Amino acid sequence: MSDAKVQVRQLTKGFGELLVLDNLTFDVRPGEFLCVVGPTGCGKTTLLNLLSSWWTPTQGEICIDGRAMDPKTQNLSFVFQESSAFPWLTVEQNVQFGMKEKRFPPELIAQRTREVMGLLDLESVKEKYCHEISASAEQRVVIGRSFALHPDFLLMDEPYAQLDIKFRLHLEDAILALNRSTGSTCLFVTHNIEEAVYLAQRCIVLSNKPTSIKAVRTIDLPYPRDTCSPEFIAIKDEITEMIKWW
Amino acid sequence: MNGFSERAAPRRLLRLLPLLSLLAFLSVWHLAALCTDLLATPLDTAKALAGMLFFPTSKVTLLHHVWASLCRVLAAYALAIAAGVLLGVLFGWSRRFHDYCYPIFELLRPIPPIAWIPLIIMWLGIGEPSKIAVCFIGSVVPILVNTYFGVSRLDPTYLKSAKILGAGQRALLTHVILPGALPSILTGMKVALSSGWVCVIAAEMIAARKGLGYLIIRSMESGDMVHILVAMILIGSVNFLFSWLFSKLEGVVCPW
Ligand SMILES: Nc1ncnc2c1ncn2[C@@H]1O[C@H](COP(=O)(O)OP(=O)(O)OP(=O)(O)O)[C@@H](O)[C@H]1O
Ligand SMILES: [Mg+2]
């Protein structure tokens, strides 16, 4: 257990009377791609808000690298459910925002920008403002902006919720490529089970409210995964059953 | 542009439309002037305008009058931008400052700037400062209100993202809040400029030695129709010029 990147222990969060997260305990391993699936409204966004220490838990604790979570010293990043690309910056400036705020040296900024823009296929629109590009490109900008920092721990909250299904597969490949090239530990929240099975090395399945962990499913299919293969469909159905079974 | 008007008339004709309406306006004006003594013809007005460009009216030439008003407006405008943006950001940024000071502002806001003139003259006399102060009151309100709106309606996700991406308090202000609120601020500045002109004319009508408002009042006292018209036309034109410049500027500083 000591080799875990992130340790979550007995995490509980309630809003007044309403108990949303009930006693969650899990680990995230270094460099891992972990997905969290759960029904709508079960508290997935709440979980991420706790993990990013935006909110404080009612009970329990979160450690990164064995130390209590502190966003000032730990390099973590967050892609929100709603789009958050800054409309007043161009695509390229958006991708560089975090690196400039953190005062990365110019050569590093240039190199990371190239890397990220290439992987996310944004080169052709780098001078454009966000209202001039598609919703999928805008979301890629936000994802790129986070990956460019090579965060230790990257939280993604259904970054494709608003996107067309046909863009998703392409983006998912891009995210996996970024995960591998940056070595960032990723926690990806979704309510789309197919997406989770396509991406994750492990998948945490949440129950309905009050939310607890129903199962942790290891998915050891090789990448890139074939969404039509029998193994893939079997895992997908298994997780779907777990969520439906409630 | 909507497709409808594009299809209804060829492009070139559309470009002539403003000219056409101007022509129609001048014709109606001319016809009206022919029927009554209470209005000078456009031609007489134009002649007077040309004359006033070179020969002093009330001691100075026309451009001097324009310049005098302009200086007052712009001085007040600069002060209003500084104060309005500062207070607007504070109102939007700090809940406590907002709760503490906004009621007072709400109380003062509906008072028309012109209603301040008597008080201001008692406080500042009838020199330049009092005219600038009146314009300032007229300009600062729209800037403040629009800045506040822009800041308070900024999507909190932007602030949250910027913080997580490493922005400190100052960066949050200069890299997120100000650019995020800029479209709103510019709207406020546009309104403020016209409102500044309204105020300077009013202030000059009460106490001044030069300026377009003064020109109107002087001409009225001497029953000088063409000069009144010239001053009115200039007020309209200068404002028009400023709106035009402003929309150009908007495209440059706020291209998104
Ligand atoms: N600030 C808050 N105050 C009170 N209750 C809240 C707050 N935020 C969330 N909740 C409650 O917590 C529950 C979980 O919300 P959350 O947004 O985390 O769900 P979610 O799994 O992200 O949903 P979705 O799939 O729609 O994104 C909801 O029932 C919501 O009503
Ligand atoms: Mg959510």
Side-chain angles (χ1 to χ4, degrees):
Chain A
M1 279 299 167
S2 59
D3 63 338
K5 180 79 189 171
V6 183
Q7 294 172 304
V8 178
R9 294 287 171 269
Q10 278 112 35
L11 189 67
T12 301
K13 177 73 179 178
F15 296 101
E17 295 282 282
L18 179 75
L19 182 62
V20 177
L21 296 180
D22 185 17
N23 209 2
L24 304 189
T25 295
F26 61 91
D27 287 336
V28 190
R29 297 173 194 148
E32 178 179 43
F33 204 106
L34 180 71
C35 277
V36 175
V37 292
T40 302
C42 72
K44 302 185 292 292
T45 301
T46 306
L47 174 65
L48 291 193
N49 276 326
L50 294 174
L51 287 175
S52 64
S53 23
W54 195 256
W55 291 345
T56 46
T58 312
Q59 243 172 53
E61 58 179 29
I62 303 160
C63 294
I64 291 194
D65 295 327
R67 282 175 293 136
M69 181 70 121
D70 176 9
K72 289 209 185 61
T73 57
Q74 275 135 352
N75 186 9
L76 68 103
S77 197
F78 200 141
V79 176
F80 296 96
Q81 200 164 3
E82 57 275 15
S83 178
S84 59
F86 302 127
W88 55 89
L89 297 179
T90 63
V91 166
E92 188 173 50
Q93 291 166 335
N94 257 295
V95 167
Q96 296 175 339
F97 184 90
M99 297 190 281
K100 286 191 172 150
E101 293 302 336
K102 297 198 169 181
R103 291 177 215 284
F104 283 19
E107 318 82 62
L108 188 62
I109 293 183
Q111 183 223 321
R112 294 264 179 96
T113 309
R114 240 178 294 119
E115 172 195 57
V116 165
M117 306 266 269
L119 275 172
L120 291 171
D121 201 11
L122 290 169
E123 277 301 339
S124 57
V125 293
K126 67 175 183 184
E127 304 290 345
K128 296 232 189 290
Y129 288 95
C130 293
H131 69 95
E132 299 170 309
I133 59 178
S134 64
S136 100
E138 191 173 340
Q139 208 54 355
R140 274 181 280 154
V141 170
V142 179
I143 291 165
R145 188 172 70 183
S146 288
F147 268 111
L149 291 170
H150 286 201
D152 292 334
F153 189 31
L154 176 58
L155 303 159
M156 285 175 277
D157 189 1
E158 307 198 50
Y160 308 151
Q162 322 90 324
L163 297 190
D164 222 299
I165 193 79
K166 73 171 188 277
F167 286 118
R168 286 192 170 202
L169 289 179
H170 177 67
L171 272 181
E172 282 158 5
D173 290 333
I175 286 204
L176 286 175
L178 280 169
N179 166 245
R180 221 156 306 141
S181 79
T182 59
S184 298
T185 306
C186 295
L187 190 142
F188 188 101
V189 159
T190 176
H191 61 242
N192 183 320
I193 295 161
E194 180 168 23
E195 188 169 79
V197 178
Y198 189 77
L199 289 170
Q201 285 156 9
R202 283 191 312 147
C203 182
I204 292 183
V205 183
L206 297 179
S207 69
N208 257 318
K209 263 185 304 186
T211 304
S212 56
I213 295 178
K214 182 164 270 181
V216 180
R217 178 69 163 89
T218 303
I219 301 169
D220 46 12
L221 302 177
Y223 294 100
R225 290 172 179 166
D226 176 5
T227 49
C228 301
S229 72
E231 298 90 347
F232 188 95
I233 292 171
I235 297 177
K236 193 175 102 183
D237 290 346
E238 185 191 327
I239 296 178
T240 310
E241 272 313 304
M242 282 193 252
I243 288 185
K244 258 201 325 215
W245 180 74
W246 172 259
Chain B
M1 301 287 156
N2 62 25
F4 172 72
S5 54
E6 299 260 311
R7 241 176 292 125
R11 219 168 243 261
R12 203 171 327 146
L13 216 70
L14 280 176
R15 208 169 301 156
L16 288 180
L17 274 181
L19 222 68
L20 227 69
S21 77
L22 193 66
L23 224 66
F25 173 74
L26 287 175
S27 319
V28 172
W29 176 4
H30 189 72
L31 287 177
L34 289 183
C35 299
T36 165
D37 279 349
L38 296 175
L39 195 63
T41 62
L43 201 65
D44 288 342
T45 312
K47 275 188 207 154
L49 197 155
M52 288 163 79
L53 280 177
F54 302 105
F55 302 103
T57 321
S58 307
K59 299 213 181 70
V60 292
T61 61
L62 191 54
L63 287 183
H64 256 96
H65 286 297
V66 176
W67 179 246
S69 300
L70 195 62
C71 287
R72 292 165 186 154
V73 172
L74 291 183
Y77 193 51
L79 292 174
I81 292 173
V85 171
L86 185 75
L87 285 173
V89 168
L90 273 175
F91 278 140
W93 180 239
S94 156
R95 185 82 232 162
R96 196 175 300 170
F97 185 76
H98 172 272
D99 291 350
Y100 201 64
C101 297
Y102 208 69
I104 301 172
F105 175 68
E106 278 297 293
L107 214 65
L108 296 178
R109 192 172 61 92
I111 302 173
I114 294 165
W116 286 94
I117 292 179
L119 257 191
I120 287 177
I121 287 180
M122 287 163 83
W123 289 338
L124 299 176
I126 56 169
E128 288 304 298
S130 65
K131 290 172 202 75
I132 292 174
V134 176
C135 293
F136 172 80
I137 293 175
S139 303
V140 79
V141 171
I143 296 180
L144 198 163
V145 171
N146 279 285
T147 305
Y148 167 58
F149 251 67
V151 173
S152 63
R153 283 194 308 188
L154 195 66
D155 189 340
T157 313
Y158 294 145
L159 295 177
K160 207 170 155 184
S161 317
K163 259 188 218 171
I164 286 173
L165 289 166
Q169 291 292 316
R170 187 187 304 177
L172 228 45
L173 184 68
T174 54
H175 298 164
V176 181
I177 293 178
L178 282 178
L182 190 58
S184 236
I185 297 177
L186 285 175
T187 308
M189 282 169 63
K190 206 189 286 189
V191 177
L193 196 56
S194 356
S195 142
W197 271 100
V198 171
C199 296
V200 82
I201 301 297
E204 286 171 355
M205 283 177 150
I206 289 166
R209 293 269 167 66
K210 51 189 174 180
L212 289 173
Y214 165 72
L215 198 59
I216 289 183
I217 271 307
R218 264 313 298 264
S219 313
M220 187 184 87
E221 282 161 2
S222 57
D224 201 343
M225 163 80 56
V226 282
H227 287 176
I228 297 181
L229 289 174
V230 166
M232 285 172 66
I233 288 173
L234 275 174
I235 292 169
S237 314
V238 171
N239 250 328
F240 175 79
L241 192 72
F242 269 106
S243 306
W244 180 78
L245 276 178
F246 212 97
S247 50
K248 293 277 160 220
L249 185 81
E250 216 166 8
V252 173
V253 299
C254 190
W256 56 90

